[in-house]
Amino acid sequence: IILYVNQASLTYTLPNQVTADCRFDTTQVAVTNKANRVAPYTYLWSTGSTTNPTDLFPSGQEHDTIPYYVTITDGCGFTYLDTVNYIINQTLAFDTLIQGPATCDPTGYVSAVVQGATTTPQHGIYYTWSRPMGSTNPGEFIDASVWTDLSGGYYYIYVEDAVCNINDSIEVQVEDLPIATLAANPVSGCSPLDVTFTNSSQNATTYFWDFGNGNSTTTNNLNSLNQTFTQNAVIQLVASNGNPNCNDTTTVSVAISICGCTSPTALNYDSTATVDNGTCIQPLVPDPVFEVPNVFTPNGDGNNDFFLINGTGIQEIYLVIIDRWGAILFEETSANPAWDGKSQRNVYVVEGTYFYKYELIGNSGLKLEGHGFLQVEY
């Protein structure tokens, strides 16, 4: 038996490289013109594909070189390794995206300029500007390289030429809008209350004031203003940059109280006052006027039966009666203490001279004290 051993001698055609004009292109390649070996042939690409021809996928880069490998196996089990370089050379690109700022009115604009475009008699360059979903007027679009009369926000641009397409976005900025800022000092107090208002607004040229007390004014500076209030008020400030549709509004509240004397016993009591301002004038309380008798007759005839201090303007009296030996016969503190002539053993004392002492507090707060002798007669 004679065995003939053949060497791996497959010949075939496979391009060394393929090119793409767009980063989104998918290009098909194939191993062709296979000769000098026997079938069947199998293929394993670095993409995982086992088909011939097969698709090569771009990387998503505008400029890139990607090597793809293929292993060819013939009917005898010989393998052959080869490479195809996938070259991406996209020329279509954005040169400039321009935006013009908007104000309170839709005055912004967007513009797109591209370079490297490829055109044919059948296909030119197409531009589409659109608003993203979730924005003002979502889904609105225009087929042009320039879009005007726009409000602030993001705008998407899609450009397509004869071989490729690109997209991007740009934000239309909003010019500094008026910011109304207002402070009051003080924010509460007694009527009439003088209040100073401080205007620290930004990006505005004109200011309209409504003071909530019937007064209003328009100014063109940040100078402080003063007003007098007799009742609660809400003050409004509208800051504008001159455009009727471009303004900002803020408010501040001022709380007014009716202040006065809230004491009903005062001479200047104000029944309408809700806050006492410490101005109450209380009527003068007269000093006590009184007299102390020097004789009394506790004989039960209903006439001068008690020893007591008579007077007016008296709040409290401390009275003590003492005999000649220093014994206390009577002692009491009250508004009107009265001695009936009896000792602490509840028997009438004998006629004679006794000593009394008192301490007196008047309604005015005046404190007086004194002592003397009294005569008991029957």
Side-chain angles (χ1 to χ4, degrees):
I1 300 175
I2 300 174
L3 297 178
Y4 295 93
V5 180
N6 297 318
Q7 299 297 318
S9 58
L10 176 66
T11 60
Y12 58 88
T13 301
L14 179 67
N16 292 328
Q17 69 179 37
V18 292
T19 61
D21 295 324
C22 187
R23 59 178 176 168
F24 304 114
D25 287 349
T26 298
T27 301
Q28 190 175 80
V29 294
V31 179
T32 59
N33 301 322
K34 298 178 290 294
N36 301 323
R37 293 308 298 163
V38 294
Y41 299 98
T42 61
Y43 309 88
L44 178 61
W45 296 86
S46 56
T47 61
S49 171
T50 58
T51 62
N52 184 55
T54 191
D55 290 332
L56 302 184
F57 302 94
S59 64
Q61 302 297 319
E62 294 181 356
H63 302 280
D64 202 358
T65 298
I66 311 169
Y68 288 95
Y69 304 99
V70 60
T71 299
I72 308 167
T73 303
D74 64 18
C76 291
F78 288 106
T79 59
Y80 309 85
L81 179 65
D82 210 337
T83 305
V84 178
N85 287 317
Y86 191 7
I87 299 175
I88 304 169
N89 185 24
Q90 178 177 309
T91 59
L92 179 64
F94 286 107
D95 180 88
T96 307
L97 292 180
I98 305 172
Q99 68 90 24
T103 64
C104 296
D105 294 324
T107 56
Y109 67 88
V110 288
S111 175
V113 179
V114 299
Q115 61 184 6
T118 302
T119 61
T120 65
Q122 295 78 27
H123 199 299
I125 306 175
Y126 302 104
Y127 299 83
T128 302
W129 282 101
S130 63
R131 296 178 186 264
M133 296 302 294
S135 66
T136 304
N137 300 323
E140 184 180 2
F141 68 94
I142 184 173
D143 292 328
S145 62
V146 179
W147 197 2
T148 60
D149 300 327
L150 302 177
S151 57
Y154 276 93
Y155 293 84
Y156 286 19
I157 177 66
Y158 173 84
V159 179
E160 180 182 312
D161 67 1
V163 297
C164 196
N165 62 78
I166 54 176
N167 59 77
D168 207 338
S169 65
I170 189 171
E171 182 184 12
V172 173
Q173 303 291 329
V174 180
E175 290 183 338
D176 293 335
L177 302 179
I179 302 174
T181 306
L182 172 63
N185 184 36
V187 294
S188 63
C190 298
S191 174
L193 180 67
D194 293 327
V195 180
T196 299
F197 296 99
T198 302
N199 181 4
S200 54
S201 301
Q202 302 176 42
N203 309 323
T205 57
T206 304
Y207 309 94
F208 172 75
W209 298 80
D210 184 347
F211 295 103
N213 61 355
N215 297 334
S216 62
T217 188
T218 299
T219 63
N220 56 8
N221 55 60
L222 295 175
N223 295 345
S224 298
L225 298 178
N226 297 289
Q227 286 287 304
T228 300
F229 296 88
T230 58
Q231 59 185 5
N232 294 344
V234 176
I235 296 82
Q236 182 184 74
L237 173 64
V238 181
S240 174
N241 67 0
N243 186 327
N245 298 321
C246 204
N247 53 63
D248 188 37
T249 301
T250 188
T251 61
V252 66
S253 298
V254 172
I256 304 300
S257 301
I258 299 176
C259 300
C261 176
T262 59
S263 174
T265 62
L267 298 176
N268 60 334
Y269 168 64
D270 185 354
S271 61
T272 65
T274 57
V275 176
D276 194 295
N277 60 1
T279 62
C280 291
I281 301 174
Q282 297 292 342
L284 293 176
V285 179
D287 292 335
V289 177
F290 62 94
E291 62 178 356
V292 182
N294 56 8
V295 176
F296 89 110
T297 57
N299 54 14
D301 63 359
N303 182 31
N304 196 26
D305 285 336
F306 294 90
F307 176 81
L308 50 82
I309 298 175
N310 294 311
T312 59
I314 300 173
Q315 178 179 327
E316 184 179 88
I317 301 174
Y318 167 70
L319 178 63
V320 60
I321 309 296
I322 303 172
D323 65 16
R324 67 180 65 184
W325 295 281
I328 296 176
L329 304 175
F330 174 81
E331 185 177 26
E332 183 179 323
T333 300
S334 66
N336 189 26
W339 182 39
D340 59 2
K342 295 180 180 179
S343 68
Q344 291 191 0
R345 292 181 298 171
N346 201 28
V347 297
Y348 286 101
V349 300
V350 299
E351 288 186 346
T353 301
Y354 295 86
F355 179 80
Y356 67 84
K357 178 182 178 181
Y358 65 85
E359 294 176 2
L360 180 147
I361 301 175
N363 291 333
S364 63
L366 180 66
K367 295 181 179 181
L368 300 172
E369 58 182 56
H371 59 272
F373 295 95
L374 65 90
Q375 187 69 32
V376 176
E377 297 179 355
Y378 292 102

